[in-house]
Amino acid sequence: MFVPVECSPPSFKDFTLIMPAISVGNVGQLATDLIISTLNMPAVGYIHTDCLIPMVGNNPYASSPENSDELSTNAEVYSLADMKLAVLQIRAPIIQTKYKQFRKLIFSWIKASEFSRVVLLSSSYAYQRDDRQIHGTPLRYLFTPAMQTIIGDRLQDLQWKEMERIAAFPGISNSEQRLYIPGGGVTKALYTDSCSEGIPLAVLLTFCSEGDNIPDAFALVNYLNEWLHLVEKPCNVALLWKIPCSWKLLFGSGIPPALF
């Protein structure tokens, strides 16, 4: 259930929704952090659900001591009305027995809010790629039929690579081709459900491994920006995205000097 910050709920009609999948390396969540931080998006509400592991923390996008003590939850919604853009940031894993319930909740909110399109940022294990996926860019996309109708041929100039289907039985060339996204969490299920329910959804993902996934996050958000043009490229590409203050402790607080 969506709970607005203000008394009157915001309108998301014809907005674009961007959200991450809880997937390998947390790449989708890191990329979503960059979008919210760079665009300075205000929080407009949160998703109240028992499908996610409970959590609360300080403001991950604090810009001053005055707003650093604001609380953040496991699923918050940010929005910019002038860009017709909404972002759902998910900060906690989905409880294993409630995957299906979580998908139903998200789809119910998407339909009720009348979003014009949904973009899911995700990732997949690099070590489980097949031979065709090893060469070239690690970035892939998937469009539902409803999204393909909206997009048409406008992405041909970008020369993006669609996520390959692989044989259900490797080595047997005439076996059934299937969509395989290991490490992608609910990515495949959300995509499949969106196809059957006619929701315009795009999946943008990258192959990666666990570790320092900050470069993967930058690659994925740049991939998204090629299409949606969320920010204009400055002369110095390094200044394109604003790193949130919460990333300072991404790998812990460092080694205590007292140990030495």
Side-chain angles (χ1 to χ4, degrees), residues 198-252:
I199 293 177
L201 179 136
V203 176
L204 304 188
L205 64 83
T206 183
F207 296 112
C208 68
S209 301
E210 294 280 6
D212 182 357
N213 296 103
I214 290 177
D216 300 308
F218 275 106
L220 186 60
V221 76
N222 282 328
Y223 189 54
L224 171 69
N225 198 54
E226 288 179 20
W227 172 29
L228 296 186
H229 303 290
L230 299 175
V231 295
E232 296 298 325
K233 291 185 177 181
C235 297
N236 185 353
V237 180
L239 302 177
L240 185 61
W241 303 103
K242 179 183 176 182
I243 296 175
C245 63
S246 55
W247 284 23
K248 294 178 181 178
L249 301 177
L250 203 58
F251 300 103

Side-chain angles (χ1 to χ4, degrees), residues 65 79 88 94 114 117 160 166-167:
S79 179
L88 167 61
I94 304 169
E114 299 183 81
R117 58 187 176 182
W160 282 8
I166 66 172

Side-chain angles (χ1 to χ4, degrees), residues 29-30 32-38 40-41 43 58-64 67-68 70 72 76 78 87 89-91 242-247:
Q29 294 160 292
L30 293 173
T32 302
D33 265 350
L34 290 172
I35 296 170
I36 296 169
S37 179
T38 302
N40 196 25
M41 300 181 74
N58 288 73
N59 182 5
Y61 314 114
S63 56
S64 66
N67 64 2
S68 62
E70 295 176 1
S72 61
E76 289 189 302
Y78 300 79
V87 174
Q89 176 61 299
I90 303 173
R91 300 189 176 95
K242 179 183 176 182
I243 296 175
C245 63
S246 55
W247 284 23

Side-chain angles (χ1 to χ4, degrees), residues 34 37 40 44 53 59 93 95 103 112 124 127 129 148 150 155 162 169-170 192 200 205 213 219 226 240 251 260:
L34 290 172
S37 179
N40 196 25
V44 295
I53 294 176
N59 182 5
I95 295 174
R103 298 201 313 268
S124 183
Y127 74 88
R129 290 175 292 176
Q148 189 65 59
I150 295 174
L155 290 183
E162 186 174 7
F169 301 97
T192 304
L205 64 83
N213 296 103
E226 288 179 20
L240 185 61
F251 300 103
F260 308 98

Side-chain angles (χ1 to χ4, degrees), residues 55-130:
M55 67 136 287
V56 67
N58 288 73
N59 182 5
Y61 314 114
S63 56
S64 66
E66 286 73 26
N67 64 2
S68 62
D69 57 354
E70 295 176 1
L71 296 181
S72 61
T73 62
N74 54 11
E76 289 189 302
V77 180
Y78 300 79
S79 179
L80 282 178
D82 56 341
M83 294 181 65
K84 287 202 166 187
L85 177 68
V87 174
L88 167 61
Q89 176 61 299
I90 303 173
R91 300 189 176 95
I94 304 169
I95 295 174
Q96 192 169 5
T97 57
K98 296 188 176 183
Y99 270 67
K100 188 173 183 180
Q101 183 180 336
F102 179 75
R103 298 201 313 268
K104 287 183 177 180
L105 170 69
I106 292 298
F107 280 126
S108 175
W109 177 57
I110 288 172
K111 291 177 179 178
S113 301
E114 299 183 81
F115 289 107
S116 62
R117 58 187 176 182
V118 182
V119 181
L120 182 67
L121 303 179
S122 184
S123 52
S124 183
Y125 283 120
Y127 74 88
Q128 294 199 32
R129 290 175 292 176
D130 72 358

Side-chain angles (χ1 to χ4, degrees), residues 156-171:
Q156 287 184 350
D157 294 339
L158 297 179
Q159 298 181 340
W160 282 8
K161 295 187 69 174
E162 186 174 7
M163 185 67 172
E164 298 88 348
R165 269 68 174 177
I166 66 172
F169 301 97

